[in-house]
Amino acid sequence: LYNYILWKIRFFSLVINKKEKSALKVLKKQGIVVIENFYSEKNCNELRENLSQKINNKDKHFHVWKSQDGSDSRLFGVDRIDYSFEAFYQNKFILNVISSYEKSNKFDGFTLGSSLEYTENNLGSGGGWHRDRLDSHQTKAMLYLSDVGEKEGPFQYLYGSHKPRNKIWDHLFFKINIDETRYSDTQVNRLIHKRYKTKIYAAKKGTLIIFDSSGLHRGTPIKSKNKRYSLTNYFWFNQKIPDHIRSLLQKRA
């Protein structure tokens, strides 16, 4: 609660346009806002090809993180080794919306490039239902670089689960530990039935998803032979990147 009180009383003023204000309003209410056609098909195809080559990593130049089931491959800090990804990390619209939401423009972060492919009994991107943190907001921006249908592991989010009062309510009345960040399907299905609306975001390439990852979310299990490619901007406001994540970052080109 201490972190949320500090955020609530923090003074921050940033001039934003009408489109940014509209996105910010939805983000505050739902914890997530989606904008289609944010990037062109051509731009997505070029970025996807660049990302695919680096994740394949034939020359062993890069550190590619892989999930235990082998379905999720990630390049932490792809913007640091290929400048074609920098424009997404530095996008003014994204930064204005997220900085306004976080009430700060002092942050550290990077762009994650990832591909998701089918393996038997995979849990999807992120390894199932989770929150990135409980003690504060944690805002991210994800861009689909490939078309993501129902079988390509689309993103799923529980509306309103980012709000502090709802986290406390879930702890008191649904017996979920207040410091728990990983959740079973049974727990989440009960919350969906009793408390939250949810949506699976199947969408075309070029779709932007800005979300508060302190809310409950997951990448649904991938069931298709088609790979899912995406970029995700990670931000830490008024703090440094945690050491365990910094250790995974690519060395700057």
Side-chain angles (χ1 to χ4, degrees), residues 1-4 130-138 161-171 176-183 196 212-217:
L1 283 178
Y2 175 74
N3 284 337
Y4 280 107
H130 66 284
R131 303 178 189 268
D132 286 4
R133 64 188 300 173
L134 272 161
D135 63 326
S136 182
H137 293 306
Q138 179 82 46
S161 60
H162 66 300
K163 296 181 178 181
R165 64 176 180 269
N166 288 338
K167 295 174 185 177
I168 294 171
W169 182 278
D170 295 343
H171 166 64
I176 294 175
N177 293 337
I178 196 65
D179 59 350
E180 190 171 345
T181 57
R182 288 277 166 183
Y183 302 80
Y196 298 108
D212 185 340
S213 63
S214 74
L216 266 164
H217 64 282

Side-chain angles (χ1 to χ4, degrees), residues 6 11 26 35 95 103 106 128 135 152 165 189 209 230 251:
L6 287 181
F11 176 77
V26 177
I35 300 167
L95 292 180
K103 295 186 178 182
K106 297 178 181 179
D135 63 326
E152 276 80 41
R165 64 176 180 269
N189 288 338
I209 302 175
S230 64
K251 293 182 178 179

Side-chain angles (χ1 to χ4, degrees), residues 32-34 140-144 155 201 207-211:
I32 184 170
V33 60
V34 178
K140 294 181 177 179
M142 179 169 62
L143 179 72
Y144 285 163
F155 188 72
Y201 289 95
T207 298
L208 174 70
I209 302 175
I210 300 176
F211 63 102

Side-chain angles (χ1 to χ4, degrees), residues 215-229:
L216 266 164
H217 64 282
R218 68 169 180 169
T220 59
I222 186 168
K223 301 174 183 178
S224 169
K225 298 299 182 181
N226 299 322
K227 290 185 178 181
R228 191 200 82 174
Y229 288 92

Side-chain angles (χ1 to χ4, degrees), residues 94 129 220 234 242:
I94 293 172
W129 286 106
T220 59
Y234 281 55

